[in-house]
Amino acid sequence: MSRNSDMLSGLQITILVASAIIGTGIMTLPRQVAAQAESGSVLVTIVAGIGALILTFIIAYLGSRFPRQTVIQYSNSLLGTIVSKIINIILTIHFIVLTAVIFRNFADIVKVFLLENTPVEVIMVSMLVLTVYLVQNGINPIARICEAFFPIVIISISILFLLSLKNLDIKELYSFWQIDLFDLAKAVPVTLLSYLGFEVLLFAGAFMAEPQKIIKYGIIGISIPVLLYVATVAICIGVFSIDALKYLMYPTLEMAKSIIFPGAFAERVDVFFAIFWILAVFTTVSIYYYLAVYNVTKLIGLKNYRPFCYMLLPIIYFISLVPQNIYESSLFSIWASYFGGAAIAFISGLLLIAALIRKKGGTKNEEV
């Protein structure tokens, strides 16, 4: 990939980070955090968001020390070829599995709310084909699609929040701070997994026109989903209550279903919201699919990534079919997130320590 043809602006980096995070997580986060933290759900979401901000800063800082380089390149410089290969393998597994998880969760949600009589296989293949078509053209078209869709997604979510306020009982939020430190410590790591997506900065900084500003735009990028997720959890609690929220599979869509206009106008608000949500999932899965393809290409040592766009398609498809039902799909998603979260935290921490000890970075300007 040429450095000249794949330059990304600061705004595109911000939107890439935010788009990678806002996907299927916004549908399930309120239930997951309510089950873990109950009355302290809002506080846990905030603390987990701060944790995500810290990890984003670490990754962006590494990107600023090694401009025009991906994690594959500067990990080789810091830790050697063997360790760099291991890091690449771990990240490749993470991106492939998480892509499959997103596809499966997307298909499950669409089947439940929009296409009840359509097999999940058909839904996944349809989205896979569209994703491959976009990904084969590189990071720049993906960034432009994210740039075009992101305002639509944010506006649709904001409208949903505003319409839901009339159903909100503010009393349900009075005890948001009531959680002991032990329960907080247990709930935060699980909630932090919902913010996965900031790891795109391990690669996106290499395509950035102004890599010295990656920290600024990376922090802005993660701040958007943090604010969005905190608002989502708070409003869902206010609309449903903690006890009810724990038993709703997809609370955000249920919140959209609860909106009623006078005179039976626009009865199915959830359908309109789901349509715009599909745009968010498409951008999220396109980013992860591209990173999976890019990593496999670099792991093998080839330059042309396009053949792998098609070669990974059946692999991701069959991985996404491993869960036999929605319950297994949910468990699969949780374990995939555990693996990814632990891997990203360990790798970024290890590279930061190595960079500080060895005092490397800040001068090289290599092409990707």
Side-chain angles (χ1 to χ4, degrees), residues 33-200:
V33 70
Q36 291 287 329
E38 297 191 349
S39 60
S41 296
V42 176
L43 180 60
V44 165
T45 309
I46 294 171
V47 174
I50 294 171
L53 281 163
I54 293 171
L55 285 172
T56 302
F57 175 81
I58 291 172
I59 293 173
Y61 175 71
L62 286 168
S64 69
R65 284 183 70 111
F66 299 92
R68 302 282 190 265
Q69 296 185 56
T70 67
V71 65
I72 301 170
Q73 292 168 301
Y74 61 74
S75 64
N76 186 37
S77 171
L78 290 171
L79 302 171
T81 304
I82 295 176
V83 177
S84 178
K85 287 285 185 184
I86 294 172
I87 288 174
N88 193 6
I89 291 170
I90 292 172
L91 290 174
T92 300
I93 294 171
H94 165 61
F95 291 132
I96 289 175
V97 172
L98 205 56
T99 301
V101 165
I102 295 170
F103 272 120
R104 181 54 188 267
N105 288 342
F106 164 77
D108 287 336
I109 295 172
V110 169
K111 182 175 176 62
V112 170
F113 285 92
L114 295 177
L115 304 171
E116 295 180 13
N117 299 319
T118 305
V120 291
E121 294 86 352
V122 174
I123 298 171
M124 283 191 294
V125 168
S126 301
M127 180 64 92
L128 267 169
V129 171
L130 287 173
T131 302
V132 170
Y133 178 76
L134 176 61
V135 167
Q136 68 178 344
N137 294 306
I139 189 68
N140 216 282
I142 295 172
R144 291 178 183 177
I145 287 291
C146 290
E147 208 171 5
F149 287 172
F150 188 71
I152 300 172
V153 172
I154 294 298
I155 290 170
S156 66
I157 294 173
S158 301
I159 291 173
L160 172 64
F161 288 168
L162 289 173
L163 294 176
S164 299
L165 290 178
K166 65 187 181 72
N167 298 325
L168 186 144
D169 183 359
I170 194 66
K171 294 178 183 177
E172 296 290 343
L173 298 170
Y174 284 173
S175 59
F176 81 93
W177 50 273
Q178 292 182 357
I179 182 172
D180 62 47
L181 292 178
F182 180 72
D183 290 335
L184 181 70
K186 285 197 304 180
V188 166
V190 178
T191 308
L192 181 59
L193 299 176
S194 297
Y195 291 107
L196 278 179
F198 51 80
E199 68 271 22
V200 302

Side-chain angles (χ1 to χ4, degrees), residues 12-31:
Q12 286 176 323
I13 291 293
T14 294
I15 292 175
L16 271 178
V17 173
S19 297
I21 299 169
I22 303 168
T24 56
I26 198 169
M27 294 296 184
T28 56
L29 174 65
R31 170 180 56 81

Side-chain angles (χ1 to χ4, degrees), residues 8 63 67 73 84 156-157 205 225 274 282 286 315 320 337 350 360 366:
L8 303 178
Q73 292 168 301
S84 178
S156 66
I157 294 173
F282 179 59
S286 295
I315 296 173
S320 66
S337 297
L350 178 65
K360 284 194 173 186
E366 300 179 12

Side-chain angles (χ1 to χ4, degrees), residues 128-129 131-138 142 286 289-294 296-297 304-316:
L128 267 169
V129 171
T131 302
V132 170
Y133 178 76
L134 176 61
V135 167
Q136 68 178 344
N137 294 306
I142 295 172
S286 295
Y289 198 110
Y290 174 80
L291 291 175
V293 170
Y294 181 86
V296 170
T297 306
N304 186 7
Y305 69 93
R306 289 189 178 182
F308 293 99
C309 294
Y310 303 96
M311 293 172 66
L312 281 187
L313 192 152
I315 296 173
I316 289 173

